[in-house]
Amino acid sequence: MPSDLHTHTTFSDGKLTPEELISAARQAGLSYLAITDHDTVDGVAHLYENGFYPTKGVRVIPGIEFSAHHPTREIHVLGFNVDIYNSELTDKLNDVTEARWTRFSEMVAKLQKLGYDIREKDVLAVAGASKSISRSHIGRVLVSKGYFKTVRDAFSELLQKGQPAYVPHYRLEVADIISLIHQAGGKAVLAHPKLIWDDALVEEICRSGIDGIEVFYPQHNPEDTAHYLALAEKYQLLPSGGSDFHGFPTRYPTELGIFTIEDRYAEPFYQPET
Ligand code: AMP
Ligand code: MN
Ligand code: MN
Ligand code: MN
């Protein structure tokens, strides 16, 4: 049976609600599914609090995807099997989410100055239930207003680091993220290492007390996968993997279940209900 350890819901920048994601996982025949929204565990809390947990058939791993603060690189760290009610975690996430609100309004102001007709309420309408407002939401507004063909184009021209509408994230270093995940009982995994585009930095993070590395990822070619698998062995890290499913037809994977990993890679991150 296949598994997927990297997915998003409406609680960050995904299209499906957590319930919809779980039924998609069931339909796809997944055995393990990690829900890893950006800087929030609200989607997992929503499942717990609405009686959707434990979920028949699919083994859900409560997760999160943190964005680290870095001057030039995009570094994301996944947390698996975290206690979503851990108070240090929830306190920090409140700060991070609040900072995302300030950040998005700064980005909207920058875009207005650049001449784009965009308002905060446009972004909030796209963000819907998500309190973790991201550049994805802003990009979607720019596409719907006809400024760009794709969200990717909006990133290249405006939203990427170094581009004029970019505003940095809340100041959370990789080391802080790892300790936050650890004290919430979880395992920390370096997400999509290829997208850091700096292998020396990747190896530095591998040595910094992290537990795993995302070896299997849609944008990793077979050589990349072999390379990160070798790094996992070298540094005694757990190899993980996932599709980074967001649920939008314009972004691979277009469906849950078309990019999966073997269950044996997911098992070490799962804790059965007690
Ligand atoms: P943020 O959380 O505000 O930093 O926004 C990052 C999110 O934007 C990521 O989680 C991706 O879903 C999306 N994203 C990042 N880079 C791109 C890109 N080049 N094209 C389209 N979407 C992107
Ligand atoms: Mn995203
Ligand atoms: Mn990511
Ligand atoms: Mn992701």
Side-chain angles (χ1 to χ4, degrees):
M1 289 270 278
S3 294
D4 191 340
L5 297 183
H6 190 155
T7 63
H8 296 274
T9 76
T10 44
F11 283 81
S12 65
D13 58 352
K15 191 166 193 289
L16 304 188
T17 62
E19 290 94 328
E20 288 167 341
L21 183 68
I22 284 176
S23 52
R26 210 175 278 135
Q27 270 179 3
L30 298 187
S31 17
Y32 296 93
L33 172 79
I35 297 177
T36 54
D37 277 314
H38 299 287
D39 294 344
T40 180
V41 289
D42 287 357
V44 179
H46 172 86
L47 283 177
Y48 285 170
E49 286 154 23
N50 288 276
F52 260 80
Y53 209 90
T55 48
K56 288 182 225 88
V58 186
R59 294 169 169 182
V60 176
I61 296 172
I64 185 165
E65 182 176 19
F66 278 101
S67 299
H69 175 91
H70 192 275
T72 52
R73 303 295 179 180
E74 291 282 352
I75 307 173
H76 291 177
V77 178
L78 297 159
F80 293 128
N81 193 27
V82 286
D83 168 11
I84 63 161
Y85 299 112
N86 174 271
S87 63
E88 269 185 60
L89 178 68
T90 53
D91 286 355
K92 189 53 93 177
L93 289 178
N94 282 338
D95 294 348
V96 170
T97 310
E98 209 168 290
R100 277 184 174 271
W101 280 78
T102 323
R103 174 180 184 246
F104 111 79
S105 86
E106 284 170 17
M107 292 184 80
V108 167
K110 284 192 168 204
L111 288 165
Q112 288 169 348
K113 267 202 177 148
L114 290 163
Y116 292 90
D117 174 25
I118 181 170
R119 276 148 239 266
E120 290 188 9
K121 69 172 170 48
D122 301 329
V123 181
L124 293 176
V126 166
S130 171
K131 289 192 210 115
S132 186
I133 317 281
S134 79
R135 286 176 286 165
S136 303
H137 301 117
I138 298 176
R140 281 175 215 154
V141 173
L142 291 168
V143 169
S144 75
K145 288 186 178 264
Y147 289 117
F148 296 95
K149 260 213 170 105
T150 64
V151 175
R152 186 178 291 258
D153 294 339
F155 266 80
S156 308
E157 198 166 319
L158 297 170
L159 304 173
Q160 241 160 247
K161 247 173 211 178
Q163 294 309 101
Y166 180 75
V167 173
H169 288 107
Y170 181 90
R171 213 177 169 93
L172 204 53
E173 308 295 334
V174 173
D176 303 331
I177 296 171
I178 296 172
S179 24
L180 205 52
I181 293 170
H182 283 168
Q183 63 78 41
K187 289 199 162 74
V189 172
L190 181 62
H192 39 64
K194 186 182 189 180
L195 304 187
I196 297 177
W197 302 106
D198 180 344
D199 241 34
L201 180 56
V202 168
E203 291 214 33
E204 192 184 305
I205 298 169
C206 286
R207 290 189 293 265
S208 71
I210 207 156
D211 306 291
I213 182 166
E214 193 171 45
V215 168
F216 309 100
Y217 189 73
Q219 289 177 64
H220 291 174
N221 64 34
E223 293 83 63
D224 297 325
T225 304
H227 170 62
Y228 295 120
L229 203 52
L231 277 190
E233 252 180 52
K234 178 176 174 188
Y235 294 106
Q236 299 277 294
L237 303 176
L238 292 165
S240 90
S243 70
D244 210 356
F245 177 74
H246 281 68
F248 288 91
T250 47
R251 174 174 175 169
Y252 183 89
T254 47
E255 275 173 59
L256 196 68
I258 63 175
F259 182 96
T260 56
I261 62 167
E262 291 174 31
D263 292 355
R264 64 189 170 106
Y265 294 112
E267 272 154 16
F269 298 106
Y270 179 72
Q271 177 147 42
E273 286 295 293
T274 44

